[in-house]
Amino acid sequence: MAAPKHRRTALERVEKFLSEIYFTDCNLRGRLFADRCPPASLSCFQTPRRIPYDEAIRQEFRPAKVGDSFGPTWETCWFKVELSIPLAWAGREVHFVWESDGEGMVWQDAQPVQGLTKEGEKTSYILTSSLKETEPHSLTLYVELACNGLFGAGKGSMIAPPDPDRRFTLSKAELVVFNRDVYELLVDLEILLDMARLLGEENQRSFQALYTANQMVNVCDVMDPSTFPAARDLAAAIFSQRNGESQHTIHAVGHCHIDSAWLWPYEETIRKCARSWVTVVRLMECNPELTFACSQAQQFEWVRSWYPGLYAQIQDFVAKGQFIPVGGTWVEMVRIMDGNLPSGESMVRQFLQGQRFFQEQFGRICSEFWLPDTFGYSAQLPQLMRGCGIRRFLTQKLSWNLVNTFPHHTFFWEGIDGSRVLTHFPPGDSYGMHGQVEEMLKTVKNNKDKGRVNHSALLFGFGDGGGGPTQKMLDRIKRMSDTDGLPRVQISTPDRLFSVLEKESSQLCTWVGELFLELHNGTYTTQAQIKKGNRECERILHDVEVLSTLAVVRGGAFKYPASQLQRLWRLLLLNQFHDVLPGSCIQLVVEDALQHYTALVTVPSMGYAIVREPLLPAQPVSVRKQEDGSITMENGVVTVCLDMMGHLTSLRLVGSERESVPDGCYANQFALFDDVPLYWDAWDVMDYHLETRKPVTTLLKPLEITLAGGLRGSASFSLQIGKSSTLTQEIILDATCPCLRFLTQVEWKEAHKFLKVEFPVQVRSTNATYEIQFGHLQRPTHWNTSWDWARFEVWAHKWLDLSEHGFGVALLNDCKYGASAHGNVLSLSLLRAPKSPDATADITHHQFTYAVMPHLGSFQDAGVIQRAYNLNFPLHAVPASSAQSLAWSAFSVSSPAVVLETVKQAEGRPEAVVVRLYEAHGSTVDAWLQTSLPVKEVMLCDLLERPAAQGCLPLEQQGVRLSFTPFRLLSVLLVLRQ
């Protein structure tokens, strides 16, 4: 028979033959299921709690039926399903089909056996592939149904706040005979149809696929299964035509990104992991070639604790090399782990806790850092990866850039210290592919490094809310393994992919510095209480570790609280997941996170000195009110002038004629912006918000002196912010201090507004400097290019600085992250008010402190870094007995360029202490580390606390000599004398 003459009619003919909507009475799709029968019995009970199986099956079940609705949101329904398979179905493949709006999990013989989620294309559980007469025909299953969907229960849209009254309908529960031969034909035809549509009319292979599909429809009589083999032979002839040797190879890896909390609470994530991973295990039993990459040690720990039977199966498949732990961190962090917001030490602990878990549980650490979904990437990440045994990095989120297209998919990424890691972005720009022809073609077409490398990754499986791979995804990939017209596709592993990329890496380009995501920059500010809790708890854990280490060394009965500290660190690390710390989560998650922070308790810090009743300094603080209502402050270091609105109108260093505030400008100027993004409410702030700036001008209480001077002087005022909010601020100057502090309290009741404070300064520079983890970097203060203006809102940690030669001004803070420096204006982002996915985000009382510091010379030489540490790590004052010694110092460092960041007991080695230091100025320097601890041996170690190969370092009278290059991080292992 001649081939069809009209391409469109041939395409549509095949489409209708496969359609789930049209002609199902006579097309192939309508024959997928043969006989059906309902359950012998269906009953349920409902509970507001997430309870274990053993407790659930003891409850009283009531009759239920298909069509019933259950709820409200976040409830759990347990169904008892009694099945009786008809004897006439002997020899047939039998499935239990379940469709509902909620997420389900099937339990059989007291074990979870299958996840059932309509949104994840998993609606059936295979009871038998060929029913034998000797098999039991009656059985009982339990289905645990969560009253939430794969993406929570947003009211009206996915990211809207959850609908608390949503109902979830059971639309199907039945036994069916599954026609495997019909299914295989459907997959064949779907791939041929996609090849015909997507390869294009200029491609001969497109017409070959179309004509073959059309001929298969001619051959296939849907009422006569004996015609199916001939149709399948036609498809096999196309699929068996091979590629040339130069064809691109795609490494397909099963994947299931699960947000540890987002549009659902932490507790629901535990069940999402079980539903998704048990489904992967079932697939592996039937498909021994399937590989599955799985990150986040926290999620493994959840499954180990709550589903030990499933965890044992996972361990078996890890041993077989199919279930592959990747990532090396405790959770996928926010802006990395928030590749942006967590402190440097928190990022170290993410790797330390994650890699130790993987070593203990699976006998190996991860060699790839796996971060498919995150909100940015700190320029210190390469050094941290290398320090934790990782040289490879996979991510893809930069494909979300709103302005600029990132120029590479495979490249070397170099951090601020010079460390490099091989980095790969899957060119399909997704971590949730479905194994379709379109995705394979996009992977090749989109690849920015053609000619440099000929291999790339494709991660397939439903993600974010869980789900993972399906059998159909695998079956598609098998047919495309080596088919002419399509790239080669092989089920692979991360190690196999990176090994071949390493062999091809000689022509790769290098990207130096941060990987800035041009989106989601509202997450630097949203949910301010979470961010404040994070900063405070990082400080608390730092202080507890220092104090505990020193208490042990000083002798006595005190024991280092290693297990308690591990538990508290893991709580903090959990909250650094990339939808919690950024604030892009529902209210339930915010409440969980704040409860975790309250679990951390404060303890004093490192070393001590006796402080007697204070004497007035040589230059006490003076505070004076002027006739015009303005107030001046002076402490011998700086002179300050404030107007009645709390504006800073003058800021000078004593002895210098240099004014920090330009003529006619106000520093400490609050400004309110409209804040309505394009879609991602809690995530994004758009560039056009800058066009809506409104200075705050409504004075509620003018500036008045609150402390007249001496050791401290201060003045306070109050403003109305927007329609409903108020701000009260105390401006504080301490004796001998170059910083002016602003203790701020806000009653925030706005909607879709963005509050910032601005400091115009009399400094001209094309770059501003921002602190990041264990260092700093520069960003432009101009918008010359699209790469520049895409950074209209950036992130920093404790400080940012604008300097010209000989003079500069720094802005410090104790819990803020969003910032910008445009022209000569330093701006700190204070509060946002998004309404999705948490309608109550930030609507509460807030307290925070920031400070301004003018300085001569460079910010390094002026001590800006030390002042920012002082603001964030204040001294602890505790009562002392007169019998104590006057002073005792545990450690000192000879160079001001080197920061001693961490003191802790070594993991698993109570006789050893780890000290972590970094070079903070961007210089090459030798420094002496001195200690009064009874040290027996000193050696360098990596971030996993494994001793370095060079052995012990010499311990001299001046201490231990350490060599630093710019921003280098060193960990020193001190073995103590017992």
Side-chain angles (χ1 to χ4, degrees), residues 423-437:
T423 301
H424 181 67
F425 299 172
D429 291 343
S430 173
Y431 50 79
M433 297 292 206
H434 294 173
Q436 295 173 329
V437 171

Side-chain angles (χ1 to χ4, degrees), residues 443-490:
T443 294
V444 176
K445 181 180 179 180
N446 204 39
N447 185 10
K448 300 289 192 302
D449 295 282
K450 297 182 184 76
R452 298 189 182 101
V453 290
N454 205 25
H455 293 256
S456 61
L458 181 138
L459 310 182
F460 65 96
F462 287 94
D464 291 336
T470 67
Q471 184 64 53
K472 180 175 276 191
M473 294 176 191
L474 274 168
D475 292 335
R476 290 173 185 143
I477 290 169
K478 290 174 186 176
R479 286 162 171 78
M480 291 185 279
S481 61
D482 191 4
T483 295
D484 184 29
L486 301 177
R488 284 193 182 88
V489 188
Q490 61 185 40

Side-chain angles (χ1 to χ4, degrees), residues 160 249 279 285 445 486 536 543 598 643 654-655 835:
T249 299
T279 303
E285 290 170 347
K445 181 180 179 180
L486 301 177
E536 288 180 344
D543 291 353
T598 61
D643 72 9
V654 173
K835 297 302 170 188

Side-chain angles (χ1 to χ4, degrees), residues 315-356:
Q315 287 181 305
D316 290 341
F317 282 106
V318 170
K320 293 176 182 177
Q322 289 181 257
F323 205 109
I324 305 168
V326 291
T329 53
W330 190 248
V331 298
E332 286 183 12
M333 301 146 285
V334 73
R335 277 211 176 261
I336 111 181
M337 332 164 203
D338 175 85
N340 298 350
L341 305 189
S343 70
E345 189 60 30
S346 288
M347 291 168 73
V348 170
R349 301 307 176 92
Q350 287 281 1
F351 285 107
L352 179 63
Q353 292 293 328
Q355 292 285 54
R356 283 179 62 84

Side-chain angles (χ1 to χ4, degrees), residues 4 191 231 320 622 853 911 916 960:
I191 291 181
K320 293 176 182 177
S622 66
M853 176 181 168
E911 81 288 359
R916 192 151 19 253
V960 180

Side-chain angles (χ1 to χ4, degrees), residues 656-887:
S656 167
E657 294 303 312
R658 182 63 182 265
E659 172 61 63
S660 301
V661 182
D663 288 343
C665 293
Y666 297 128
N668 197 41
Q669 171 67 65
F670 295 99
L672 199 62
F673 300 81
D674 295 341
D675 187 12
V676 184
L678 297 175
Y679 176 70
W680 297 99
D681 198 359
W683 293 258
D684 292 346
V685 57
M686 309 309 298
D687 56 347
Y688 52 75
H689 87 281
L690 295 170
E691 301 171 27
T692 68
R693 177 182 179 273
K694 296 179 183 65
V696 174
T697 59
T698 305
L699 184 64
L700 296 179
K701 180 184 175 185
L703 189 73
E704 293 289 348
I705 295 172
T706 46
L707 287 175
L711 286 174
R712 172 173 293 173
S714 68
S716 299
F717 67 97
S718 297
L719 300 173
Q720 180 170 323
I721 307 289
K723 293 182 179 179
S724 309
S725 304
T726 57
L727 179 148
T728 300
Q729 189 170 75
E730 184 181 11
I731 303 175
I732 303 167
L733 184 64
D734 288 334
T736 74
C737 181
C739 299
L740 183 67
R741 288 189 292 131
F742 302 83
L743 174 59
T744 312
Q745 302 197 52
V746 183
E747 290 293 339
W748 185 243
K749 301 175 183 178
E750 300 304 302
H752 286 120
K753 298 295 181 183
F754 195 173
L755 179 65
K756 302 184 184 185
V757 65
E758 300 168 345
F759 284 79
V761 295
Q762 198 157 293
V763 176
R764 179 170 175 78
S765 176
T766 56
N767 289 288
T769 307
Y770 301 79
E771 189 195 34
I772 68 169
Q773 298 89 347
F774 299 130
H776 59 261
L777 50 73
Q778 291 190 327
R779 300 183 179 111
T781 59
H782 56 77
W783 294 344
N784 281 359
T785 71
S786 60
W787 294 88
D788 299 330
W789 70 256
R791 303 183 189 204
F792 59 87
E793 177 80 2
V794 296
W795 61 275
H797 277 215
K798 298 184 289 294
W799 59 268
L800 63 152
D801 180 87
L802 188 64
S803 290
E804 58 191 46
H805 179 69
F807 182 79
V809 178
L811 194 55
L812 324 177
N813 75 87
D814 71 347
C815 62
K816 298 300 176 184
Y817 296 93
S820 65
H822 185 221
N824 69 326
V825 179
L826 298 176
S827 178
L828 193 64
S829 299
L830 302 178
L831 293 168
R832 293 186 70 221
K835 297 302 170 188
S836 292
D838 178 6
T840 67
D842 286 315
I843 306 303
T844 188
H845 176 83
H846 297 270
Q847 179 174 310
F848 48 86
T849 297
Y850 54 89
V852 63
M853 176 181 168
H855 59 83
L856 298 176
S858 68
F859 70 85
Q860 293 99 325
D861 293 340
V864 166
I865 298 170
Q866 184 59 52
R867 292 292 175 178
Y869 268 97
N870 291 350
L871 181 65
N872 282 267
F873 294 83
L875 292 174
H876 296 277
V878 294
S881 68
S882 58
Q884 286 181 289
S885 60
L886 292 179

